[in-house]
Amino acid sequence: MFLRRLRDTNPGLASAAVRLHQEGRVRANTYLLDLDALAANAAAEVAEAERHGLELYVMSKQFGRNPDALRTIAAAGIDRAVAVDVQGMEAVRRSGTRIGHVGHLVQPHRGAQDAVVAAEPEVVTVFNTEIAARIGAAARRAGRVQDVLLRVRGPEDTYYFGHAGGFPAGEIEKAAAQVEAVGNLRVAGVTNFPCMLADAATRTVKATRNFATLTGAAERLRAAGFEITQVNAPGTTSAGTFAEQARLGATHVEPGNGLHGTTPLHLFDEGQPEVPAIVYVSEVSHFDGDDAYAFAAGYYVDKVLGDYRLTAIVGRDGDAGVLDVETADAGAIHYYCRIPGARARGVRVGDSVVFCFRPQVFVTRGRTQAVAGVRTGTLDLRGVYDVEARPADGVA
C-alpha cells in the first residue's frame, strides 16, 4: 500500500533494506526501521503538537516497541509512551522510555495491578469500578495516588469488534465519584477510541461520534467540579490531524503509524510531512512451478482501508523490480507469501523481498532492527529485537 510513497519520498530505505539483506546483516522476517526518518517524522509531529497545545504519547506496538526507535523518538521530543496492554508496558520499559498511559485498549488483568502502579504511569485507563478498585488497592500499597482516565461510552458510539466498553456517558459524574471513592485514585480525564477514522470516500480523516462523547463527558465532569486535565482522543493520528483534534477539545493524542508514515492520510495527501520509515524484509525461499514463495512469519497488514493490491520489491540490487504478491486468507497462519509468475521475471532463491505496508508488528512472529545513516549512505545497523523488545541477536 505504501510502496510507491516509500520509493518517492524515502527510496534510500528500500535500497538499504535490499543491500543489508544481501550482505547477510538483516535476516528475513525483519521489520527494518529508518532512524533518520523516524527522527524527522517525530520532530515534525512535536512541532505541530506544540502549535496546537497538544501532549503526545508514542504508540509503539506497530513497530514492535523497538528500543532504538523509541530512544530516537524520545530524543526528538516524544519521551512518554502509551501501552495498550501490560505486555506492551513491560516491553516499553525495557528501552528506558517513560510510561505515560496504560490500559488504552486492554485493561490490566488480575495480578498485574501492582506492576502497573510500580511503572509510575501518568494515567491508567479504567473501564469499570472493579478495575478501578484493583488499581486503587495497588496505589494504596505503593503509598501513592494514581491518576486515572475514565473510558467513556455513548449509546451511538461505534467500535471495532472487541473494543467496546466503558462508563456510560449519561452517568459519567456518578462514575467519577465512585472511582474516586475507591481511594488513592484521582480522575484526571477521559478517553475513548476511535476518535478519528479515515473516510475513503472523501479521502480525509474525520472525527467520529466517539469524539463528541469524549468531549461532552469532559465538559460534564468539569461542571461537576472535577479537575479534568486530560482529554485523550486517539485514532488514526498524525501531524495532519492535530489541528482538528485540538479544535475539537483534545489535550492528548497518541501517534503510532503516523510516526512511520503509514496512516491513510499519507495516502490521501502526498504533502503530509511524515515519510515511510519502516519496511518488512523477507526473501525468496523456494519455487512451486513458476511461483516463488517468500517467508512471512512476521507478515501482518493492518487493512484499515480494506483489501488492496499488495506489491513488493524483489531482487538483489538496485535493479530489483516491483512484483505482485499474494497472501493467505485472513485467519490463516502466514508461513509464506506467494509471488505468482516470479520465475519468468528472473527471480531466484535468496532474492530480497521488501514490503512497505501499515504494520502491527506486535501481533506477529517477526523481529525488528533499526538502522541509522540511510540519508547519508553510511549505514549504522543496530541490534535485533523480538516483538517484546528482548534482544534477539544470534537467534536463527
Side-chain angles (χ1 to χ4, degrees):
M1 178 178 279
F2 292 92
L3 193 60
R4 183 186 63 80
R5 183 166 169 82
L6 172 74
R7 299 179 85 196
D8 288 345
T9 63
N10 192 13
L13 176 56
S15 58
V18 173
R19 171 185 160 187
L20 290 168
H21 174 254
Q22 288 300 312
E23 290 176 353
R25 299 169 65 193
V26 169
R27 291 168 288 172
N29 197 37
T30 298
Y31 285 87
L32 185 66
L33 289 146
D34 178 350
L35 295 181
D36 300 351
L38 274 177
N41 290 350
E45 294 193 354
V46 168
E48 185 68 7
E50 288 177 349
R51 276 193 285 273
H52 298 289
L54 292 173
E55 296 288 331
L56 302 179
Y57 294 142
V58 54
M59 176 70 78
S60 61
K61 65 185 177 67
Q62 290 95 335
F63 59 82
R65 304 118 175 189
N66 178 277
D68 293 307
L70 276 167
R71 285 189 281 267
T72 294
I73 292 166
I78 311 176
D79 62 355
R80 296 163 295 169
V82 51
V84 297
D85 54 25
V86 173
Q87 291 80 5
M89 179 191 78
E90 293 168 343
V92 167
R93 293 188 75 195
R94 292 187 188 105
S95 72
T97 300
R98 295 165 54 200
I99 301 297
H101 179 195
V102 177
H104 165 236
L105 290 178
V106 181
Q107 291 285 271
H109 51 72
R110 290 179 64 184
Q113 56 269 16
D114 289 296
V116 168
V117 172
E120 299 185 348
E122 291 184 352
V123 291
V124 178
T125 286
V126 294
F127 283 43
N128 53 43
T129 53
E130 292 85 353
I131 300 293
R134 289 184 206 158
I135 300 299
R140 189 159 47 252
R141 287 190 290 271
R144 61 173 293 185
V145 174
Q146 176 63 57
D147 281 356
V148 296
L149 303 182
L150 304 185
R151 178 40 134 57
V152 60
R153 193 200 200 292
E156 298 178 14
D157 292 353
T158 58
Y159 299 93
Y160 297 112
F161 177 82
H163 287 201
F167 295 98
E171 302 176 1
I172 197 65
E173 299 93 340
K174 176 182 176 182
Q178 290 175 334
V179 168
E180 289 204 343
V182 165
N184 292 82
L185 299 181
R186 187 182 78 86
V187 174
V190 287
T191 190
N192 203 350
F193 177 85
C195 292
M196 305 287 287
L197 279 179
D199 184 333
T202 61
R203 296 182 66 82
T204 58
V205 174
K206 296 181 177 180
T208 65
R209 182 64 182 81
N210 303 35
F211 207 138
T213 296
L214 175 71
T215 53
E219 290 170 3
R220 289 178 57 167
L221 288 173
R222 286 172 177 144
F226 291 91
E227 186 180 351
I228 300 303
T229 58
Q230 184 165 157
V231 180
N232 188 296
T236 319
T237 300
S238 64
T241 67
F242 291 172
E244 182 67 358
Q245 287 168 297
R247 185 187 71 80
L248 292 172
T251 65
H252 291 64
V253 294
E254 300 177 345
N257 285 98
L259 283 162
H260 39 83
T262 58
T263 79
L265 191 58
H266 295 93
L267 296 176
F268 299 158
D269 180 1
E270 295 184 357
Q272 291 301 304
E274 302 97 338
V275 302
I278 187 169
V279 294
Y280 177 54
V281 181
S282 185
E283 71 180 58
V284 173
S285 162
H286 62 278
F287 282 84
D288 179 49
D290 290 331
D291 299 340
Y293 283 74
F295 298 106
Y299 173 85
Y300 180 92
V301 174
D302 185 356
K303 295 183 178 180
V304 68
L305 292 176
D307 287 330
Y308 62 92
R309 177 185 172 216
L310 181 66
T311 58
I313 296 170
V314 184
R316 300 193 178 200
D317 51 36
D319 295 328
V322 176
L323 301 180
D324 288 338
V325 180
E326 298 174 348
T327 64
D329 293 335
I333 299 172
H334 289 288
Y335 292 110
Y336 296 100
C337 292
R338 181 171 60 197
I339 308 172
R343 192 183 297 276
R345 301 291 297 273
V347 173
R348 297 169 290 173
V349 170
D351 278 3
S352 304
V353 183
V354 178
F355 298 86
C356 188
F357 47 68
R358 177 182 169 92
Q360 293 282 355
V361 179
F362 81 116
V363 299
T364 77
R365 309 186 308 283
R367 309 179 184 92
T368 67
Q369 194 167 11
V371 60
V374 166
R375 294 188 174 184
T376 64
T378 305
L379 301 182
D380 176 12
L381 191 62
R382 308 297 171 83
V384 183
Y385 294 88
D386 67 16
V387 296
E388 298 297 337
R390 298 184 180 93
D393 291 287
V395 178

